[in-house]
Amino acid sequence: MTKDRIFEIIIGHTREVIPELQGYRFQPDDALKDLGANSIDRSEIVAMTIESLALNIPLTETARAKNIDELAGLLYEKSQSC
Amino acid sequence: MSALLKGEHAFGVMCRPGRQLPEFSVKTGANPNQTADFLGAEIHTLSLPDCFSQRTLRTASFSSQVALVTLLEAWSDADLDAVDPYRIGLVVGGSNIQQRELIKTHETYHNRLHFVRPTYGISFMDSDVCGLCTELFNIRGFAYTIGGASASGQLSILQAIQAVQSGQVDICIAMGALMDLSYWECQGFRSLGAMGSDRYAQEPAKACRPFDHDRDGFIYGEACGVVIVESASLPRRKDVTPYARITGWAVGMDGNRNPNPSLEGEVRVIQKALDQAKLSAEEIDYINPHGTGSLIGDEIELQAIDLCDLTHAYLNATKSITGHGLSSAGTVEVIATLLQMQARRLHPTRNLDNPIEPSCNWVKHQSIAHAIENALNLSFGFGGVNTALCLGLAQK
């Protein structure tokens, strides 16, 4: 799976958790927090993405990602090493 | 109200996911005594208003969603937007109310635990109903849950009364929450001999028959009820008319963990409630009993009514129409009483073809005209919980 595809998966789950973002055009440097996701929302989005990618990693390993692009990159790395 | 007076029901074989025994338990003979599907009355369509965002509803359990919809109706009816939110409290009656959601989560994630959704860490707790209600309705006084098995709903009202009386809040919302049973709890109730109905497995509409000779246990019904309790001294809000006055109440324990009822315990709370209301037995003209369809429970309750010299009062069984909501029953039945007071009519008792005590003043197959002056509501719960509540016609 490519990093771009992971980016799309994150966006899909973000829209599922925050339906208000249905029409929003996501940018790589968007931070989930700035888009209105609270801490539970962010955990949900990451957990859903990890499930979609069938990764077996703790949520805490994604904490250092500052924006969606970094999160996608981090998950891409994990997917390559699993 | 018209549905209540017509005795309209929704009984059938339950079909909500997680309500019937899974294939494997039937195939493996894990339950050889099971002869029938679980019967009950389920909410067919839950209309969720737009004021609740999809973002919130996505992670709200079914019990919570029903709680929000029910509270919205009561909130509007009582015009609580006009009240200082710091002076409003919430008591949610019921414990372990989201068992079906729990089973769904277990089944979805049993072999991949690390994918369990983070919100499960919040939503599995009954108090999540409090969290959602206080957030969406901006309730700032207090909120907590209170459990008393099938008396939980009425207990929530008694707790609300005390919160208002003590001045803790001006207005207290009492909610009997929807107890969302999974097949595990249904099977447990069946095994206990509490839940029917093998006898009417092929005729679900006839299965729920409190106080009838042919009853064989309670039939479950999905429900949630909200009652707003406030002090009579509080200034009236425009267009808000009180349904009734709370005149007396009582709670008492049997000192018994088991499900069996206690005649002494039931008599004690009835008399205590009447004493507090300063009412003689003959002044009670309507009783909304616990009346579940339980073999022993129904008989003991009628004995208690007889011992308290209340057999003259009109008697019907709301559960014959709604089913037994367990945690919600006490509030739903108080609401049924209030609506009957307002309508000046009493609803029928479905399936009461052959009452176990014919001398009682039953409202049987048809609704009747009657202007309630003083009503008595009874709720009892496993573990020896007895509660009684007297309601008087609201002063004009």
Side-chain angles (χ1 to χ4, degrees):
Chain A
M1 183 162 315
T2 65
K3 183 184 160 191
D4 285 349
R5 177 65 191 129
I6 294 174
F7 185 84
E8 291 301 321
I9 290 171
I10 296 169
I11 288 173
H13 290 312
T14 303
R15 286 186 170 134
E16 192 178 338
V17 171
I18 310 173
E20 296 90 324
L21 295 174
Q22 279 308 328
Y24 178 75
R25 288 190 59 171
F26 286 82
Q27 302 300 318
D29 60 351
D30 278 339
L32 290 174
K33 190 175 180 180
D34 295 339
L35 294 174
N38 63 29
S39 61
I40 299 295
D41 295 335
R42 297 198 295 274
S43 300
E44 284 278 300
I45 292 163
V46 174
M48 291 158 84
T49 306
I50 287 174
E51 184 175 1
S52 294
L53 300 175
L55 291 175
N56 190 0
I57 60 166
L59 290 184
T60 48
E61 290 199 13
T62 63
R64 61 189 162 85
K66 293 188 183 66
N67 55 43
I68 297 177
D69 185 58
E70 285 188 22
L71 179 60
L74 199 149
L75 292 174
Y76 175 72
E77 284 172 27
K78 296 290 179 187
S79 70
Q80 296 304 300
S81 59
C82 282
Chain B
M1 183 58 199
S2 64
L4 203 58
L5 291 176
K6 288 178 193 161
E8 290 178 1
H9 70 91
F11 292 110
V13 172
M14 294 199 281
C15 56
R16 201 173 298 289
R19 281 275 163 73
Q20 296 295 344
L21 292 172
E23 285 290 313
F24 72 83
S25 73
V26 178
K27 283 182 182 162
T28 58
N31 185 31
N33 297 321
Q34 183 79 31
T35 57
D37 289 330
F38 298 123
L39 306 181
E42 296 181 314
I43 296 169
H44 188 256
T45 310
L46 182 65
S47 300
L48 293 159
D50 292 338
C51 61
F52 301 132
S53 73
Q54 283 305 311
R55 183 175 176 179
T56 302
L57 295 174
R58 189 184 68 84
T59 53
S61 68
F62 182 59
S63 294
S64 290
Q65 293 188 9
V66 176
L68 291 171
V69 171
T70 313
L71 177 53
L72 180 64
E73 191 178 340
W75 187 278
S76 306
D77 197 25
D79 190 21
L80 295 188
D81 279 335
V83 178
D84 176 2
Y86 289 87
R87 299 299 299 159
I88 300 176
L90 168 67
V91 183
V92 174
S95 48
N96 309 112
I97 58 173
Q98 306 178 111
Q99 296 295 99
R100 195 179 58 85
E101 300 277 353
L102 188 147
I103 294 303
K104 277 165 56 187
T105 300
H106 289 190
E107 288 179 350
T108 305
Y109 294 107
H110 75 279
N111 56 356
R112 45 200 195 107
L113 271 172
H114 55 285
F115 290 140
V116 167
R117 298 287 165 78
T119 43
Y120 183 66
I122 305 170
S123 65
F124 85 91
M125 288 183 268
D126 294 332
S127 55
D128 191 39
V129 177
C130 297
L132 281 163
C133 289
T134 54
E135 178 176 313
L136 296 184
F137 290 86
N138 192 31
I139 296 166
R140 298 301 186 95
F142 69 83
Y144 54 78
T145 63
I146 183 169
S150 296
S152 298
Q154 193 166 123
L155 268 180
S156 74
I157 298 175
L158 304 195
Q159 199 68 24
I161 294 168
Q162 290 169 52
V164 169
Q165 273 200 326
S166 69
Q168 189 180 6
V169 286
D170 292 332
I171 289 184
C172 193
I173 299 159
M175 174 186 287
L178 184 145
M179 183 170 274
D180 196 358
L181 299 182
S182 78
Y183 59 86
W184 286 90
E185 291 71 51
C186 292
Q187 183 60 39
F189 282 132
R190 264 289 175 82
S191 301
L192 200 58
M195 181 188 261
S197 166
D198 279 337
R199 186 172 294 160
Y200 289 99
Q202 306 307 316
E203 298 172 284
K206 292 185 177 176
C208 190
R209 42 198 319 119
F211 301 112
D212 186 79
H213 266 291
D214 290 335
R215 73 199 184 284
D216 70 347
F218 80 80
I219 303 297
Y220 170 69
E222 289 181 339
C224 175
V226 169
V227 173
I228 310 294
V229 177
E230 62 182 273
S231 168
S233 63
L234 204 66
R236 293 270 180 93
R237 295 178 298 290
K238 191 172 174 287
D239 299 329
V240 176
T241 308
Y243 284 90
R245 287 176 300 119
I246 297 166
T247 54
W249 63 91
V251 57
M253 303 300 290
D254 297 331
N256 173 24
R257 174 261 182 117
N258 292 309
N260 56 301
S262 157
L263 180 59
E264 182 271 333
E266 294 182 15
V267 167
R268 188 157 50 96
V269 290
I270 293 172
Q271 290 182 334
K272 204 170 160 188
L274 290 177
D275 287 347
Q276 191 182 27
K278 296 185 172 55
L279 290 171
S280 63
E282 54 265 35
E283 288 175 285
I284 296 291
D285 58 328
Y286 168 72
I287 300 173
N288 190 304
H290 186 57
T292 63
S294 147
L295 290 179
I296 301 171
D298 284 6
E299 287 195 5
I300 296 292
E301 185 169 18
L302 293 183
Q303 287 174 29
I305 287 168
D306 184 31
L307 269 176
C308 293
D309 297 322
L310 289 163
T311 52
H312 63 279
Y314 279 115
L315 193 62
N316 57 12
T318 300
K319 288 185 184 79
S320 71
I321 300 169
T322 62
H324 190 356
L326 301 158
S327 49
S328 67
T331 45
V332 167
E333 287 150 24
V334 162
I335 292 165
T337 300
L338 300 175
L339 292 175
Q340 290 175 100
M341 269 184 166
Q342 193 180 50
R344 300 165 75 89
R345 280 196 87 79
L346 305 181
H347 71 68
T349 306
R350 292 185 58 258
N351 296 321
L352 188 60
D353 300 329
N354 195 5
I356 52 175
E357 183 46 75
S359 63
C360 286
N361 196 6
W362 296 108
V363 185
K364 293 175 77 177
H365 302 299
Q366 300 294 327
S367 71
I368 62 164
H370 174 70
I372 299 171
E373 290 282 336
N374 289 294
L376 173 68
N377 273 68
L378 301 173
S379 278
F380 311 124
F382 288 176
V385 190
N386 307 294
T387 61
L389 181 69
C390 293
L391 296 165
L393 197 62
Q395 286 158 338
K396 298 278 186 269

